[in-house]
Amino acid sequence: MKDDVIKKVALDIGNNGIKLLVGEMSSDFQRISVTNYVKTKSKGISKSLIENPEALAETLREAIGKAESIESPITKLSLALGGPGILSATVNVKSSFPEKEIEKTDMDNLLRQAKRQIFKGREGQYRILYKEVYNKKLDNSGIVRQPIGMVGKELQADIHLVYVDDSYVQKFIQVVNKIGIDIDRIYLNSYASAKGTLYEETKKMGVAHVDIGYGSTSIVILKSGKVLYAKTKPIGEMHYISDLSIMLKIPKEGAEEILKKLKNKQVEADNTIRYGAKKVTLREIKDIILARTGDIINFIGSAIDESGFNGVLAKGIVLTGGAVEIEGVAEQIATRSGYLTRKMLPIPLKGLKDAFYSDAVVIGVFLEDMEREYKASIEETKEANKVKKEKIKEETTSNNKINDKKMDRK
């Protein structure tokens, strides 16, 4: 690795495929690019649960082998996790004390209170994948952006946590460690997908980001750049495949072939799709897809209503994930959801051509890692400048004292 770049490795372990992205950013944070991208079929995982750790580890080892080189070995990476076990909760917490200057420890105390309320004394059982502190207030004032450094006697905030059972996370950590790789960070899958898809203006104005993947559909609601709600349901492309297989009385492989041809618009002149000697009408295929998409639409609608944020979606619904490539899925959601709805491909990156909807998560992990590096550098510079100013102030004070003494002697 060159000394003037920051290197990051992002991993998305999906139910149908594994994606490993290697990229770098210049040390001045002006240039970012992808240097390698590997996709391979996943094994040992189904419905976001590890069923065969050895098989999954072997698949990861294969992907790592394709992506690394002698000059640039992969020793650590970041990944995103999701699945139906993901839980989300928001609580309002408050802390009172004698009037004083608010410190970071006071904000930390609010977070501890939130954990106690949400986890009910079982903090060690869960892993927080995303947290957001918003609607911060000091005393009886309105919302303040940053209370630290202000003076007051009562601090409150709304705290949103997205979490999962830690035993679930540990199984993935063990598989990655098994092949000699350390984990840098673990992100919420649906947040990473939104990060890899949405631009800042969309996240600021309010949007429901929906990722319809192979094994599950995830929704996150964002406003003012913050995730306010998250939910996942185990329904996705694999269910379309299962429905086609059952209804058309064909094997799973045949259903996968038909769905792939539908995505690629490989339709016969008589509006049929061929599987071997069998020809299935486009109408029959779309009717089966229509029924399953109805379940996804119901989930999206109920999740938005349950969140209580249905009034803040100025940018409507944004769809991504591999299943939105299926003809008719996005169109049906747009027709029935009642919101402005559109598909969005991942944010384009130099070095990565023809990114698909299914690439959003791994791109989001990579972008989040790089953004954290940038923010850490900014904070480091601020701290260095603060120390420098304090040193100059001390030297000035010392010089003034020396000059005062000289004047006294005169």
Side-chain angles (χ1 to χ4, degrees), residues 250-251 253-255 257-258 261 268 272-280:
I250 58 175
E253 294 75 17
E257 183 179 323
I258 286 175
K261 286 183 176 180
E268 303 288 324
T272 62
I273 292 180
R274 185 184 294 276
Y275 163 62
K278 187 179 181 69
K279 294 177 73 174
V280 185

Side-chain angles (χ1 to χ4, degrees), residues 366-379:
F366 174 65
L367 291 175
E368 181 69 12
D369 264 357
M370 288 305 188
E371 185 173 311
R372 284 175 179 265
E373 288 288 335
Y374 172 72
K375 289 180 177 178
S377 176
I378 295 297
E379 288 302 315

Side-chain angles (χ1 to χ4, degrees), residues 201-213:
E201 183 66 16
T202 300
K203 291 188 283 187
K204 181 180 178 181
M205 293 187 67
V207 65
H209 180 271
V210 179
D211 187 313
I212 309 175

Side-chain angles (χ1 to χ4, degrees), residues 235-290:
I235 180 172
E237 187 169 327
M238 64 181 290
H239 298 88
Y240 288 112
I241 293 170
S242 176
D243 292 348
L244 288 168
S245 176
I246 293 169
M247 299 299 289
L248 300 177
K249 296 180 174 57
I250 58 175
K252 177 185 173 184
E253 294 75 17
E256 289 176 336
E257 183 179 323
I258 286 175
L259 202 58
K260 184 177 180 180
K261 286 183 176 180
L262 181 65
K263 284 184 179 182
N264 297 330
K265 296 181 169 47
Q266 294 175 286
V267 182
E268 303 288 324
D270 60 351
N271 280 329
T272 62
I273 292 180
R274 185 184 294 276
Y275 163 62
K278 187 179 181 69
K279 294 177 73 174
V280 185
T281 66
L282 201 57
R283 181 71 269 161
E284 190 174 0
I285 295 168
K286 288 189 173 181
D287 283 345
I288 294 171
I289 288 171
L290 191 72

Side-chain angles (χ1 to χ4, degrees), residues 329-379:
V329 170
E331 293 79 4
Q332 188 183 349
I333 295 173
T335 300
R336 289 183 49 193
S337 68
Y339 293 92
L340 166 70
T341 304
R342 63 202 185 281
K343 297 188 291 185
M344 283 189 71
L345 286 165
I347 294 169
L349 294 174
K350 182 181 178 182
L352 183 60
K353 295 181 180 180
D354 301 323
F356 296 101
Y357 298 101
S358 56
D359 298 322
V361 172
V362 73
I363 289 174
V365 171
F366 174 65
L367 291 175
E368 181 69 12
D369 264 357
M370 288 305 188
E371 185 173 311
R372 284 175 179 265
E373 288 288 335
Y374 172 72
K375 289 180 177 178
S377 176
I378 295 297
E379 288 302 315

